[in-house]
Amino acid sequence: MSPEAGCLLLDEIAPRLRSAIPKCVQKIGAEDDEELVQDALVTAAQMLDSVERHGKAVTPGNIAYYTILHMKSGRRSQCRSRADTMAQGTQLDHKSCVLSFEEEVGYDPELDEAITLGNILAGNREDPAMAAARNIDWELFIETHDYRYGLIIQGFAQGKALSDVAADCGTGYSRLHQIKRKLAEELLAFMGEQALEDAARIPKWRAHLLADHERAACMADRRRG
């Protein structure tokens, strides 16, 4: 089959797909009819290539029919797995379900509003990306400065008494205060003037979430008043 013949067959197959797919193929997730038609055309082209390599004769109706069956079963041109939880076929088999974070999963009578999946999954812990970036900065600082700085920082993080931290560093109590002042000066030079402000800043995603909760609480108060 020449490329020209293949294109002519696709031109005959395309109208069949555009007519049938919106009526008989179930859309999964954010899929729409046009997306499914385009994906079906890719599948049809793959079938045409396969039958050509095997020397078989087909009609546009044959290709369109089997392409539609593939689409109805959840097979797509880029994915035919039923082991992937996100795959269309897996969802059609009701073995997995993909939900939006805006999906309502309950109701809060105090706020008089729906509870969404995003509300439940949102944690109060800090942004992992910020924590990871800060850890990288700390590791580099400790590796390139006095080794006792690491012992002091670790001791303070563990809530140790100053006398215990001094013993870990092998210094006296007064010497530890001198090292602490030097640590603070070098840390400020290393991290920059904005270090403390950045550490205390609330991540934007959490600020938006808090703002949404406060807005909902205010609306609930107005309704109750």
Side-chain angles (χ1 to χ4, degrees), residues 150-161 164-165 168:
L151 298 175
I152 293 172
I153 294 168
Q154 183 179 9
F156 288 161
Q158 294 174 350
K160 288 186 177 181
D164 293 333
V165 176
D168 292 340

Short mmCIF file of all heavy atoms in Angstrom, two decimals, residues 150-161 164-165 168:
data_model
loop_
_atom_site.label_atom_id
_atom_site.label_comp_id
_atom_site.label_asym_id
_atom_site.label_seq_id
_atom_site.Cartn_x
_atom_site.Cartn_y
_atom_site.Cartn_z
N GLY A 150 28.38 22.37 63.20
CA GLY A 150 27.41 21.31 63.02
C GLY A 150 26.96 20.71 64.34
O GLY A 150 25.77 20.41 64.54
N LEU A 151 27.90 20.57 65.28
CA LEU A 151 27.56 20.02 66.60
C LEU A 151 26.66 20.98 67.37
O LEU A 151 25.73 20.56 68.06
CB LEU A 151 28.84 19.75 67.39
CG LEU A 151 29.80 18.71 66.78
CD1 LEU A 151 31.08 18.62 67.59
CD2 LEU A 151 29.10 17.34 66.74
N ILE A 152 26.95 22.28 67.23
CA ILE A 152 26.13 23.29 67.93
C ILE A 152 24.71 23.31 67.37
O ILE A 152 23.73 23.30 68.12
CB ILE A 152 26.78 24.68 67.80
CG1 ILE A 152 28.11 24.71 68.57
CG2 ILE A 152 25.84 25.77 68.31
CD1 ILE A 152 28.92 25.98 68.35
N ILE A 153 24.60 23.33 66.05
CA ILE A 153 23.27 23.36 65.42
C ILE A 153 22.48 22.11 65.75
O ILE A 153 21.29 22.16 66.08
CB ILE A 153 23.43 23.53 63.89
CG1 ILE A 153 24.03 24.90 63.56
CG2 ILE A 153 22.08 23.37 63.19
CD1 ILE A 153 24.47 25.05 62.13
N GLN A 154 23.14 20.96 65.70
CA GLN A 154 22.47 19.70 66.01
C GLN A 154 22.02 19.67 67.47
O GLN A 154 20.92 19.22 67.80
CB GLN A 154 23.39 18.52 65.73
CG GLN A 154 22.74 17.16 65.96
CD GLN A 154 23.69 16.02 65.63
OE1 GLN A 154 24.88 16.22 65.39
NE2 GLN A 154 23.17 14.80 65.62
N GLY A 155 22.90 20.18 68.36
CA GLY A 155 22.55 20.20 69.78
C GLY A 155 21.35 21.08 70.07
O GLY A 155 20.45 20.70 70.82
N PHE A 156 21.32 22.27 69.45
CA PHE A 156 20.18 23.17 69.65
C PHE A 156 18.90 22.55 69.08
O PHE A 156 17.83 22.68 69.68
CB PHE A 156 20.45 24.51 68.99
CG PHE A 156 21.48 25.34 69.71
CD1 PHE A 156 22.13 26.38 69.07
CD2 PHE A 156 21.80 25.06 71.03
CE1 PHE A 156 23.08 27.15 69.74
CE2 PHE A 156 22.76 25.83 71.71
CZ PHE A 156 23.40 26.86 71.06
N ALA A 157 19.02 21.88 67.93
CA ALA A 157 17.84 21.27 67.31
C ALA A 157 17.29 20.15 68.19
O ALA A 157 16.07 19.91 68.22
CB ALA A 157 18.19 20.72 65.93
N GLN A 158 18.17 19.47 68.93
CA GLN A 158 17.74 18.38 69.81
C GLN A 158 17.33 18.87 71.20
O GLN A 158 16.92 18.07 72.03
CB GLN A 158 18.86 17.35 69.93
CG GLN A 158 19.16 16.62 68.63
CD GLN A 158 20.37 15.71 68.72
OE1 GLN A 158 21.11 15.75 69.73
NE2 GLN A 158 20.59 14.89 67.71
N GLY A 159 17.47 20.18 71.44
CA GLY A 159 17.07 20.75 72.73
C GLY A 159 18.06 20.49 73.86
O GLY A 159 17.69 20.50 75.03
N LYS A 160 19.32 20.29 73.52
CA LYS A 160 20.33 20.03 74.55
C LYS A 160 20.65 21.30 75.33
O LYS A 160 20.52 22.42 74.82
CB LYS A 160 21.61 19.50 73.90
CG LYS A 160 21.52 18.08 73.38
CD LYS A 160 22.89 17.61 72.88
CE LYS A 160 22.85 16.17 72.42
NZ LYS A 160 24.19 15.71 71.96
N ALA A 161 21.11 21.12 76.54
CA ALA A 161 21.56 22.25 77.36
C ALA A 161 22.90 22.75 76.82
O ALA A 161 23.65 22.00 76.19
CB ALA A 161 21.69 21.83 78.82
N ASP A 164 25.92 20.71 77.76
CA ASP A 164 26.07 19.47 77.00
C ASP A 164 26.62 19.74 75.61
O ASP A 164 27.45 18.97 75.10
CB ASP A 164 24.72 18.75 76.88
CG ASP A 164 24.21 18.25 78.22
OD1 ASP A 164 25.05 17.98 79.11
OD2 ASP A 164 22.97 18.16 78.38
N VAL A 165 26.16 20.83 74.98
CA VAL A 165 26.68 21.19 73.66
C VAL A 165 28.16 21.54 73.75
O VAL A 165 28.96 21.16 72.89
CB VAL A 165 25.88 22.38 73.07
CG1 VAL A 165 26.47 22.81 71.74
CG2 VAL A 165 24.42 22.01 72.89
N ASP A 168 30.11 18.40 73.89
CA ASP A 168 30.20 17.78 72.57
C ASP A 168 31.29 18.43 71.72
O ASP A 168 31.97 17.76 70.93
CB ASP A 168 28.86 17.88 71.85
CG ASP A 168 27.78 17.02 72.50
OD1 ASP A 168 28.13 16.09 73.24
OD2 ASP A 168 26.58 17.29 72.25
#
